[in-house]
């Protein structure tokens, strides 16, 4: 027959101070030995290695109690270890090894170690592995000494656990517990995730609003950028044009001003101080000439008077003309003079007059020269005087005429000079007015240039401010082409543009957001996180739902398997019970959930507390017993032996449905009389066909049922020893 348990090795465990090994070769192994030799320690060795956590069930208080404590003959040890070897050729354990060695070690400090085929593992791993093979849990497979009726003493709930364990539902229970734990964790995570999202929400909301504002501001900035670009291009074109125009204008005005100033200088030179002295000089010359003229006149009159006197004297001497001058000669002379003088009457020209005068004089001189020699001596002197005086008169008259002419010329000169000065004055006045006009034009041009410089400065500032505000959104305004109409349109259009730009700037400023890159980044990160959490929440809720499904499914499976298994157990129980008691009836009954049964007012405080602890929907198991030939029934009325028999029947029936790989029974037969011991032995044999049995006993009938016997002895050194024995030997060893 296949044996799941190959061997157990105890080393430093309780009374096994030295390494001892039990190798199982028969389906039923019996361990025998005197009281206190260490048999129960072997059973506890099994408990220990299979992961028992209750110290009490190993008759200890702490881990240290499990370690060989030493004897006078042998010092104590620092570690206790128990090793079991499973035959896994049939994959009893869900692990890919044909042999599985499980070892547990405890140290004096209470530290535990679990090893699976030499590798350290967790307790959880051991329990899970064993549960898969229907080993472990409630420990119904290892019935400790005096614990046979534990199943009777157990609470309905514990009893149910044992049954579930026996039915191999532990694995489902573990899965269910695991799923419940996961569900709980998932619930916590859902709450955490929800609370994280709740925490995140206002921040996200705030950031979203900020980002919306930023986007609005960005749009406004773009708009501003294009408006500003157009405005600046137009402004630049206009300023450049204006600058050129004003420069030209200025140059033209300056040129004109220079020319006018030059002409003014020239005109100024023709008037003023120079002309005055010139006129004064000329006037003094006129005065001088006038003085000389009056002198000449005075002398001319003197000479005329002298001539009159001389001519009177000449007449007085009676000298006839014929006596002095031949008459034809005189007549010719007079004709010639008369002729010349008649010319005088006809001319106004001074020069002609002068030449006539000169001609007349020369005729007179020639006439006089013709007379000399022929004139009478007596009148000679008088005649000469008259001649001299006439000539003098003639001369002075000529002088007088010349002076008059000179004075007239001088006066004309003064008039001319004065006339020229007046003309220059008029021109100056005209020029000065023109200069004033040009100057004011120049001033106006200058003022325009100053104004234009102001505009240029404003323009530069607008460019700077624009770049600072809009940055790259300010498309290059500095293009070569001049925007349409930039040079011809009304300046009011630019003002309109500027006002619209100012309004935009105010809007952007009012939006109150700066660059915003950091905010956008934070928003994206926060949004991503929120989306991640939302997705996580969906995943978590999905996994919670699927866990609930799994749990429900498991509960359903457990419930079905439980009810089905219980039916089988009850069948077996009836059978075993009737065999042991020769009749009667025993069964396990599912209790109604206590919460549902008990009305609140019926419960005292204590009960309520108990129920609070229990799962209100959990239905426990109660044992119903009817002994044959006895009227009374119920567990309470059973004798010690009857209790032992009932529990044996229960334990055995439980292992019928889903036979465990092995069962360890520590003196479960202690309370049985001989007849019942025999029945017990028969049942052991029956059971041994389904499960490997390790039976600790003092009972010969039980020993006889075993295929192999091991004796436990304890020598003087207090160390338990294991040895294989024969039946006869065993009886001796057992005593
Ligand atoms: P019985 O037939 O009376 O039930 P038994 O064979 O089952 O006896 P055990 O109870 O297994 O005997 O062994 C008890 C013995 O083990 C006692 O003598 C006890 O002193 C010894 N023992 C228990 N723990 C230790 C330990 N840590 N170190 C040394 N000895 C120990």
């Amino acid at each position: 027959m296949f044996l799941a348990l190959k061997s157990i090795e105890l080393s430093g465990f309780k009374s096994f101070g030295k390494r001892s090994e039990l190798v199982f070769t028969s389906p039923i192994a019996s361990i025998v030995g005197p009281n206190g030799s260490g048999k129960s320690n072997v059973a506890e060795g099994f408990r220990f290695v299979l992961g028992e956590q209750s110290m009490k069930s190993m008759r200890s208080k702490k881990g240290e109690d499990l370690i060989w404590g030493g004897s006078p003959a042998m010092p104590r040890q620092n570690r206790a270890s128990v090793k079991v070897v499973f035959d896994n050729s049939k994959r009893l354990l869900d692990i890919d090894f044909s042999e599985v060695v499980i070892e547990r070690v405890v140290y004096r400090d209470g530290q535990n170690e679990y090893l699976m085929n030499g590798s350290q593992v967790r307790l959880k791993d051991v329990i899970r592995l064993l549960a898969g093979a229907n080993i472990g849990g409630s420990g119904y497979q290892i019935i400790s000494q005096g614990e046979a009726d534990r199943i009777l003493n157990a609470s309905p709930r514990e009893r149910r656990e044992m049954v579930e364990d026996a039915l191999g539902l532990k694995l489902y229970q573990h899965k269910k517990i695991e799923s419940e734990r996961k569900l709980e964790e998932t619930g916590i995570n859902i709450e955490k995730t929800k609370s994280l999202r709740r925490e995140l929400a206002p921040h996200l909301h705030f950031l979203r609003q900020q980002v919306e504002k930023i986007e609005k501001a960005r749009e406004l900035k773009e708009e501003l950028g294009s408006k500003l670009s157009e405005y600046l291009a137009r402004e630049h074109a206009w300023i450049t044009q204006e600058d050129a125009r004003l420069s030209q204008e200025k140059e033209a005005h300056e040129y004109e001003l220079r020319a006018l100033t030059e002409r003014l200088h020239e005109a100024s030179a023709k008037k003023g101080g120079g002309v005055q002295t010139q006129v004064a000089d000329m006037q003094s010359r006129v005065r001088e000439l006038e003085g000389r003229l009056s002198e000449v006149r005075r002398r001319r009159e003197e000479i005329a008077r002298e001539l009159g006197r001389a001519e009177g004297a000449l007449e007085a001497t009676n000298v006839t003309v014929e006596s002095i001058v031949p008459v034809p000669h005189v007549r010719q002379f007079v004709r010639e003079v008369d002729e010349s003088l008649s010319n005088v009457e006809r001319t106004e020209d001074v020069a002609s007059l002068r030449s006539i005068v000169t001609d007349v004089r020369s005729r007179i001189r020639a006439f006089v020269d013709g007379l000399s020699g022929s004139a009478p001596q007596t009148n000679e002197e008088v005649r000469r005087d008259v001649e001299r005086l006439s000539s003098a008169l003639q001369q002075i008259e000529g002088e007088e005429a010349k002076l008059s002419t000179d004075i007239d010329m001088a006066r004309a000169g003064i008039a001319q000079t004065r006339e020229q000065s007046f003309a220059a004055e008029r021109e100056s006045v005209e020029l000065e007015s023109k200069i004033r006009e040009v100057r004011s034009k120049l001033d106006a041009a200058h003022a325009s240039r100053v104004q234009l410089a102001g505009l240029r400065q404003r323009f530069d500032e607008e460019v700077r401010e624009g770049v600072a505000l809009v940055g790259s959104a300010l498309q290059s305004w500095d293009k070569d082409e001049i925007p349409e109409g930039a040079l011809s349109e009304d300046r009011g259009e630019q003002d309109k543009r500027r006002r619209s730009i100012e309004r935009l700037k105010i809007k952007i400023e009012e939006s109150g957001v700066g660059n915003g890159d950091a905010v956008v980044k934070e928003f994206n990160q926060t949004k991503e996180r929120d989306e991640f959490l939302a997705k996580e929440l969906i995943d978590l809720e999905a996994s919670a739902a699927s866990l609930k499904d799994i749990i429900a499914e498991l509960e359903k499976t457990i419930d079905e398997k439980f009810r089905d298994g219980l039916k089988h157990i009850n069948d077996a129980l009836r059978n075993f019970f009737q065999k042991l008691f020769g009749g009667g009836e025993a069964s396990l009954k599912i209790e109604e959930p206590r919460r549902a049964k008990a009305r609140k007012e019926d419960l005292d405080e204590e009960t309520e507390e108990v129920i609070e602890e229990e799962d209100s929907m959990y239905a426990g198991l109660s044992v119903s017993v009817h002994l044959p030939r006895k009227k009374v029934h119920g567990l309470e009325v059973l004798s010690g032996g009857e209790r032992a028999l009932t529990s044996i029947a229960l334990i055995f029936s439980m292992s019928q449905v889903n036979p465990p790989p092995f069962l360890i029974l520590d003196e479960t037969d202690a309370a049985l009389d001989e007849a019942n011991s025999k029945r017990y032995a028969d049942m052991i044999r029956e059971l041994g066909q389904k499960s490997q049995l390790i039976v600790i006993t003092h009972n010969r009938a039980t020993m006889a049922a075993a295929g192999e016997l091991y004796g436990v002895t304890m020598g003087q050194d207090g160390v338990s020893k294991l040895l294989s024995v024969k039946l006869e030997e065993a009886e001796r060893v057992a005593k």
Side-chain angles (χ1 to χ4, degrees), residues 12-17 33-42 44 59-60 64-71 145 666-667 696 698 712 714 718 720:
F13 184 79
K14 299 193 99 175
S15 57
F16 290 87
N35 294 132
S37 58
K39 300 184 294 296
S40 294
N41 290 344
V42 176
E44 279 155 18
R59 293 176 297 164
S60 298
E64 202 176 2
D65 301 340
L66 299 172
I67 304 169
W68 165 249
S71 70
Q145 194 176 0
D666 188 356
E667 295 185 40
I696 298 166
H698 288 292
V712 182
M714 187 181 276
S720 300

